[in-house]
Amino acid sequence: TCDMGVSWNNTSSGFNSFGVLDVGYDPVKKDLIYAVGYPGYSSKTNIACELYVSEDGGITWTSILRDFKVEEAQARRNILAFKKTERDFADVYLCLYQGGIIHSDDMGKTWKNIGMNQYNLRGIELCGDTMYALTESDGIFVSRDMGKNFHKLDTEVILSDSDEVVVIPDGPVMLQDTQFGVYYGNIDNDGMGLFSIVLSDARCYQ
């Protein structure tokens, strides 16, 4: 839609999956869009997904990566992330549930694994050169060098099963945990952070 939702056009030419798990917009190249498609109406365990790219603002799509696995725990979370470069398009990162984090610097033509292969991953967030990786049961990991080295986030609260991390540039990091509440804090260069609870009744966020 280009008129605030008054009218809608189908722009799924070349997009052969039934559903969309995540969509990411290149922050540099205006009409470059990535979409993670899955072959069903709900995200089940270990579904083989497909990554598509559109270079015309979503009018047509091309499959660029197939048969990578996702998990229900990754639904409604960011599994795509982007890093601005000096080129006219951004680097793209894809978080696999089992298989680590993979990176492409050529609009998805080739991919390189950058690590975190030993963990079941829920999602990733990028803020500048800092990457946050959310695991299913091992807490949150932070990298200050775009994935070359990861350090587990050391906090005084239990964050073994965090649902979401929200990164505010030059500001605090917000963490949501469906069991224990919502926390905020700051992370130093070693990946250490002291977090304070904001809301203890996490049921408001479930």
Side-chain angles (χ1 to χ4, degrees), residues 90 121 170 189:
L121 300 178
D170 300 320
N189 292 330

Side-chain angles (χ1 to χ4, degrees), residues 71 73-74 77 96-98 116 118-123 133-141 152-153 157-164 177-180:
E71 174 68 44
Q74 291 181 291
R77 294 175 177 85
L96 307 178
Y97 178 71
Q98 293 177 334
M116 296 294 290
Q118 67 271 43
Y119 300 101
N120 294 337
L121 300 178
R122 284 191 167 195
L134 283 70
T135 70
E136 186 172 56
S137 58
D138 294 286
I140 299 174
F141 288 76
K152 187 172 182 178
L153 185 62
V157 296
I158 300 175
L159 295 171
S160 61
D161 196 25
S162 295
D163 271 356
E164 186 176 5
D177 189 297
T178 55
Q179 295 184 28
F180 299 100

Side-chain angles (χ1 to χ4, degrees), residues 51-67:
L51 181 63
Y52 298 84
V53 65
S54 173
E55 297 185 49
D56 54 15
I59 298 175
T60 60
W61 297 87
T62 302
S63 174
I64 57 174
L65 189 64
R66 296 182 178 182
D67 296 331

Side-chain angles (χ1 to χ4, degrees), residues 16-123:
N16 299 317
S17 298
F18 284 107
V20 179
L21 187 67
D22 193 15
V23 175
Y25 302 87
D26 191 295
V28 179
K29 193 175 180 66
K30 179 180 178 182
D31 293 324
L32 186 59
I33 307 173
Y34 297 83
V36 178
Y38 62 88
Y41 292 104
S42 62
S43 53
K44 301 297 183 181
T45 301
N46 263 343
I47 285 184
C49 284
E50 196 164 353
L51 181 63
Y52 298 84
V53 65
S54 173
E55 297 185 49
D56 54 15
I59 298 175
T60 60
W61 297 87
T62 302
S63 174
I64 57 174
L65 189 64
R66 296 182 178 182
D67 296 331
F68 58 92
K69 304 296 184 180
V70 300
E71 174 68 44
E72 185 178 3
Q74 291 181 291
R76 300 174 302 279
R77 294 175 177 85
N78 291 334
I79 60 175
L80 287 168
F82 299 90
K83 169 66 176 176
K84 291 182 178 180
T85 67
E86 296 180 354
R87 299 184 300 272
D88 61 352
F89 58 89
D91 287 3
V92 58
Y93 295 81
L94 175 63
C95 169
L96 307 178
Y97 178 71
Q98 293 177 334
I101 300 170
I102 58 176
H103 162 240
S104 175
D105 59 6
D106 54 10
M107 296 194 298
K109 295 180 177 64
T110 60
W111 295 86
K112 179 181 179 181
N113 189 294
I114 66 169
M116 296 294 290
N117 300 306
Q118 67 271 43
Y119 300 101
N120 294 337
L121 300 178
R122 284 191 167 195

